[in-house]
Amino acid sequence: MTETRLRVYDDTRALFHLPEGVIYLDGNSLGALPLGVAEKVDRVIRREWGDELIRAWNTAGWYVQPRNVGNRIARLIGAEADTVMMGDTLSLKAYQALAAALDINPERKVVLSDTGNFPTDLYMAEGLIATLGRGHELRLLAPEAVEAALSDEIAVLYLTEVDYRTGRRHDMAKLTAKAHALDIVTVWDLAHSAGALPVDLAGVGADFAAGCTYKYLNGGPGAPAFLYVAPRHANRARAALSGWMGHAKPFAFDLGYVPAGGVERMRVGTPPVLAMAALEASLDIWDRVELSEVRARSLNLGDLLIAEVERRCPQLRLVTPRAHEMRGSQVSFAFAGGYAAMQALIARGVIGDFRAPDIMRFGLTPLYIGEDEVMKAAEIIEEVIVGEVWRRPEYQVVNAVT
Amino acid sequence: MTETRLRVYDDTRALFHLPEGVIYLDGNSLGALPLGVAEKVDRVIRREWGDELIRAWNTAGWYVQPRNVGNRIARLIGAEADTVMMGDTLSLKAYQALAAALDINPERKVVLSDTGNFPTDLYMAEGLIATLGRGHELRLLAPEAVEAALSDEIAVLYLTEVDYRTGRRHDMAKLTAKAHALDIVTVWDLAHSAGALPVDLAGVGADFAAGCTYKYLNGGPGAPAFLYVAPRHANRARAALSGWMGHAKPFAFDLGYVPAGGVERMRVGTPPVLAMAALEASLDIWDRVELSEVRARSLNLGDLLIAEVERRCPQLRLVTPRAHEMRGSQVSFAFAGGYAAMQALIARGVIGDFRAPDIMRFGLTPLYIGEDEVMKAAEIIEEVIVGEVWRRPEYQVVNAVT
């Protein structure tokens, strides 16, 4: 942490822009806007791009930005220094991680995942398996069945720590240890973990991990992803997406590819400088908060939302585990009229989201959400559900892309 | 074109920010800043991300932005409507194009390219070939030898139209026609073509093309890339990088991948909204200029720079073809002291760049560079070369990343 530590919510709430009349419980999908972002991006556009032009790759540090930002993310996910590289999207970083992991276990053909994994991870794996053309199988089980299914047939255990629909959390330490005992390589998706709860990649001995920065980390829409490679793999891992920025000497413009040392090889093309600048402004806040404090507040907010909604709305069925250690930073309820109910909530300023077939999701982001907002949201949920507002015709029309 | 047409340079020069005392001849590496960018990005950050939050995917059109921007690029590269998709980086879009192209020709094992292709294209091909593991060969020839080497052994012809070092231009129409006569699929990299000269993808019958938008198109550092898929391939092409945004129903969150129709399937992950907004502001200019006029001015500027430098500096050897039809929008000279000379030029405000081993590149971007700038640059080049300023010790230190 740099500078003075910030108290979660008490000091951080004022550092975010939140529109009047909105209770924002969708920071697990797109984090709210940190106040410093617009100024930072404006400065990069005018002073760096505008005035420095091509020189800014050196003078403004654009070239080393993905590595430097990666090191700031590293603190938040318990990663060693110089093990995290920024760039591209989570889909692509998951692809790189899975490709490298499969290369470590060439004799085994099963990628084990679960039905709680985010679909793009599964789709990217399908694409990779087709490109490999070596008879790999993507095996999907219920989340609860994963641990018992670990065996020496499995090449890679490929999971998202926190389920995007239910908020159920895997035991990363236990699964990683059991996987390693069977020589299974692990790839963890931290989309709903980074910035939501303490992650300890080095401590659990994770092999590869990837995540996005536009959810809890508030990096902005389409913010760059991160990729973690454990130090023991970093100089041997194959970068299947072997772009020039991951070359040992990118500016030698050699005709043949030679990977850079360490996680640097996982860079692909020209980094997204403007998007990364927005993320940097958000990290100016993250650098100054303790994740243990974020986590304690998140669990408290979750307990409160569960208690209030269950007390007020027996129609909603909790699908998030009650046990703290099995929960991420969201609370989800199943409700047959969930889509319509969420539209009615959004119309009343309570922004959560809906995931098919019947899940209403409420994300808890303690940097800018506190007990008052949760209590107020519970009241409005009651009005919509118990008052049957959700049955009104205007909320039945399915037109949202998200 | 929308609104009133803009005269190239006469009307467009005032629409760019260029720092005092700089003659910017590196728009072929990073285009200059269009004045509208900072305001546009600021609006997207504050009004869309800040106020609309997650709703902006619908209300601000973020979800359809990659397709809409692709259609604006389409006009500049002679592509049919709905054949161009934005996202990721050129390295990744070249990878997707090559993977799809190889799938069309599964019995053939040779990817033919040349030593003038940009290295990342070659590196990505190496990575893809390794992942495929089916004995493909990446065959590299001198640019002049490519045409004669086309044969029914070749699966894919994989070229950059304009050589990043020399500015030499391939005859895309002729090579594509000859390739097709031999059932070879073509992948064209338009990095140094898009916005530099008229491209006629539909007219030449190109199969796949990819390009970046941070050079002549002035989209900003790390601006998103584009991918073109010919309509005849679009519903059959395999998206090897099969992310959720390319799924037929991304928000159904199905466990299995089903590609979207058309070029939409080439989307991968969450699009870079902020970077795309910067590009949109630049396209507000491009929408209103004619590429034929850009091209005519570029060739004129090139002729002028060649004549002036050759007259003043016999030490420099022109490596760009003199013939207009064989030239892109840059002029390059070989000079043994090129690195030092370029440092000396930059110190005097003439910003070009250097490419190993001995190439001094000068990009010509008629939207904001005119004859006066070229004449002034030639004078300063003479001062540095003939006056032997480049020999000074301060210009010998190699420290630039670009």
Side-chain angles (χ1 to χ4, degrees):
Chain A
M1 290 205 296
T2 59
E3 305 176 69
T4 323
R5 174 170 163 178
L6 296 169
R7 288 169 302 162
V8 173
Y9 192 78
D10 299 339
D11 293 331
T12 58
R13 169 66 187 80
L15 303 177
F16 289 86
H17 170 77
L18 286 163
E20 209 53 48
V22 162
I23 300 174
Y24 193 58
L25 302 179
D26 211 8
N28 52 331
S29 189
L30 175 68
L33 171 64
L35 290 186
V37 167
E39 288 78 4
K40 166 80 177 177
V41 174
D42 192 73
R43 207 158 52 236
V44 171
I45 290 174
R46 294 180 196 267
R47 294 287 83 77
E48 299 182 5
W49 175 11
D51 288 343
E52 289 295 301
L53 291 155
I54 191 68
R55 297 169 293 193
W57 286 102
N58 296 304
T59 57
W62 290 353
Y63 182 71
V64 291
Q65 190 189 26
R67 188 191 317 167
N68 291 344
V69 173
N71 275 325
R72 295 171 76 180
I73 300 285
R75 186 184 78 87
L76 302 174
I77 56 176
E80 304 88 337
D82 298 323
T83 59
V84 178
M85 185 52 64
M86 308 304 300
D88 310 306
T89 64
L90 175 50
S91 299
L92 290 161
K93 285 339 208 188
Y95 184 94
Q96 285 186 289
L98 182 57
L102 285 172
D103 266 21
I104 294 174
N105 257 342
E107 304 305 320
R108 301 186 186 185
K109 300 296 181 197
V110 179
V111 177
L112 183 65
S113 189
D114 70 24
T115 57
N117 204 345
F118 189 73
T120 205
D121 296 49
L122 305 178
Y123 305 160
M124 293 301 287
E126 272 195 58
L128 175 61
I129 286 171
T131 302
L132 285 165
R134 279 159 233 171
H136 287 90
E137 174 198 347
L138 176 60
R139 188 174 295 171
L140 296 184
L141 302 175
E144 304 72 22
V146 165
E147 186 182 344
L150 293 172
S151 75
D152 61 11
E153 184 193 18
I154 312 296
V156 177
L157 178 63
Y158 182 61
L159 294 173
T160 297
E161 185 188 15
V162 176
D163 188 309
Y164 73 106
R165 272 182 306 209
T166 63
R168 177 205 40 74
R169 180 189 185 197
H170 276 302
D171 186 334
M172 195 192 291
K174 187 178 173 193
L175 286 172
T176 300
K178 187 157 177 191
H180 285 174
L182 292 158
D183 289 328
I184 298 166
V185 183
T186 58
V187 176
W188 288 101
D189 177 339
L190 303 178
H192 291 268
S193 308
L197 42 86
V199 178
D200 185 16
L201 290 177
V204 306
D207 299 286
F208 298 91
C212 64
T213 62
Y214 50 75
K215 297 178 182 291
Y216 295 93
L217 294 178
N218 311 311
F226 63 83
L227 175 58
Y228 166 82
V229 182
R232 65 186 176 281
H233 299 308
N235 283 317
R236 294 180 304 168
R238 187 175 77 89
L241 303 173
S242 45
W244 72 306
M245 285 283 157
H247 192 282
K249 293 178 177 174
F251 296 95
F253 300 101
D254 292 333
L255 295 174
Y257 179 74
V258 178
V263 73
E264 196 85 13
R265 66 182 58 189
M266 294 299 180
R267 295 179 71 158
V268 185
T270 303
V273 172
L274 303 186
M276 206 99 75
L279 173 60
E280 287 181 300
S282 175
L283 291 173
D284 288 345
I285 300 170
W286 279 109
D287 285 348
R288 300 172 62 191
V289 299
E290 270 300 344
L291 269 163
S292 56
E293 193 184 345
V294 172
R295 176 63 167 167
R297 284 190 170 254
S298 157
L299 290 169
N300 179 53
L301 294 176
D303 288 344
L304 182 64
L305 184 63
I306 291 169
E308 287 297 316
V309 170
E310 291 195 323
R311 183 171 71 77
R312 295 161 186 267
C313 311
Q315 298 91 334
L316 299 193
R317 178 175 58 81
L318 181 71
V319 294
T320 301
R322 288 177 203 279
H324 283 182
E325 67 278 10
M326 289 185 63
R327 198 201 289 173
S329 193
Q330 71 181 58
V331 170
S332 301
F333 298 94
F335 179 56
Y339 180 81
M342 190 53 75
Q343 299 313 303
L345 285 174
I346 292 170
R348 277 152 190 77
V350 177
I351 302 183
D353 63 21
F354 175 78
R355 287 292 176 260
D358 63 354
I359 304 287
M360 300 175 69
R361 297 199 308 179
F362 300 100
L364 301 164
T365 49
L367 295 191
Y368 52 84
I369 294 293
E371 293 188 8
D372 288 357
E373 286 95 336
V374 166
M375 286 299 293
K376 181 74 186 154
E379 281 171 30
I380 298 173
I381 293 170
E382 179 180 12
E383 177 194 333
V384 163
I385 301 291
V386 181
E388 301 213 335
V389 170
W390 68 273
R391 291 194 187 274
R392 294 184 191 162
E394 65 263 35
Y395 302 128
Q396 314 304 317
V397 185
V398 178
N399 62 5
V401 290
T402 55
Chain B
M1 288 205 297
T2 61
E3 306 177 68
T4 324
R5 174 169 161 179
L6 296 170
R7 288 170 302 163
V8 172
Y9 193 78
D10 298 341
D11 293 333
T12 57
R13 169 66 186 80
L15 303 176
F16 288 86
H17 170 77
L18 287 164
E20 207 58 45
V22 163
I23 299 175
Y24 193 57
L25 301 178
D26 210 9
N28 53 329
S29 188
L30 174 68
L33 170 64
L35 289 185
V37 167
E39 289 77 4
K40 167 80 177 176
V41 174
D42 191 73
R43 206 157 55 235
V44 171
I45 290 174
R46 294 180 195 267
R47 296 285 82 77
E48 300 182 6
W49 175 12
D51 287 344
E52 289 295 301
L53 291 157
I54 192 69
R55 298 170 292 193
W57 286 102
N58 297 303
T59 58
W62 290 352
Y63 182 69
V64 291
Q65 189 189 28
R67 189 191 315 168
N68 292 343
V69 173
N71 276 324
R72 296 171 76 180
I73 301 284
R75 186 184 80 84
L76 303 175
I77 56 175
E80 304 88 338
D82 298 324
T83 58
V84 178
M85 185 52 65
M86 307 305 299
D88 310 307
T89 62
L90 174 50
S91 299
L92 290 160
K93 285 338 207 188
Y95 184 94
Q96 284 186 289
L98 182 58
L102 285 172
D103 266 22
I104 294 174
N105 257 343
E107 304 306 318
R108 300 188 186 182
K109 299 298 180 198
V110 178
V111 176
L112 183 64
S113 189
D114 71 23
T115 55
N117 204 345
F118 190 73
T120 204
D121 298 48
L122 305 178
Y123 305 159
M124 293 302 286
E126 271 194 59
L128 175 59
I129 286 171
T131 302
L132 285 165
R134 278 161 234 171
H136 287 89
E137 173 199 345
L138 175 61
R139 188 174 296 172
L140 297 184
L141 302 176
E144 304 73 22
V146 166
E147 187 182 343
L150 293 172
S151 74
D152 61 12
E153 184 193 18
I154 312 296
V156 176
L157 177 63
Y158 182 61
L159 293 174
T160 297
E161 185 189 15
V162 176
D163 187 310
Y164 72 106
R165 273 183 304 208
T166 63
R168 177 204 40 73
R169 181 190 184 196
H170 275 302
D171 186 335
M172 195 192 291
K174 186 177 174 192
L175 286 172
T176 301
K178 186 157 180 192
H180 286 175
L182 292 159
D183 289 328
I184 298 167
V185 183
T186 57
V187 176
W188 287 100
D189 176 338
L190 303 178
H192 291 268
S193 308
L197 42 87
V199 178
D200 185 15
L201 289 177
V204 306
D207 298 285
F208 298 90
C212 64
T213 63
Y214 50 75
K215 297 179 182 289
Y216 294 94
L217 294 177
N218 311 311
F226 62 83
L227 175 58
Y228 165 83
V229 182
R232 65 185 177 281
H233 299 308
N235 284 317
R236 295 181 302 168
R238 187 174 78 88
L241 303 173
S242 45
W244 71 306
M245 285 285 157
H247 193 281
K249 295 178 176 174
F251 296 96
F253 300 101
D254 294 332
L255 294 174
Y257 179 74
V258 179
V263 72
E264 197 85 14
R265 68 184 54 189
M266 294 300 181
R267 295 178 71 156
V268 185
T270 302
V273 173
L274 303 186
M276 206 98 76
L279 174 60
E280 285 182 301
S282 174
L283 291 173
D284 289 344
I285 300 171
W286 279 109
D287 286 348
R288 300 172 64 191
V289 298
E290 271 301 345
L291 269 164
S292 55
E293 193 185 344
V294 172
R295 176 62 168 167
R297 283 189 171 255
S298 155
L299 289 169
N300 180 53
L301 294 176
D303 289 344
L304 182 64
L305 185 61
I306 291 170
E308 287 297 316
V309 170
E310 290 195 324
R311 184 170 70 78
R312 295 161 186 268
C313 310
Q315 299 90 334
L316 299 194
R317 180 173 57 84
L318 181 70
V319 294
T320 301
R322 288 176 202 277
H324 284 181
E325 68 277 8
M326 289 185 62
R327 196 202 290 173
S329 194
Q330 71 180 57
V331 171
S332 301
F333 298 93
F335 178 56
Y339 180 82
M342 190 54 76
Q343 299 314 304
L345 285 173
I346 292 170
R348 277 152 190 76
V350 176
I351 302 184
D353 62 22
F354 174 78
R355 287 293 175 260
D358 62 355
I359 304 287
M360 300 174 70
R361 297 199 307 179
F362 301 99
L364 301 165
T365 50
L367 295 190
Y368 52 83
I369 293 293
E371 292 188 8
D372 288 355
E373 286 94 337
V374 167
M375 285 300 293
K376 181 75 187 154
E379 280 171 31
I380 298 173
I381 293 171
E382 179 180 10
E383 177 195 333
V384 163
I385 301 291
V386 180
E388 302 214 334
V389 170
W390 69 272
R391 292 193 187 275
R392 294 184 192 162
E394 65 263 36
Y395 301 128
Q396 314 305 316
V397 186
V398 179
N399 62 4
V401 290
T402 55

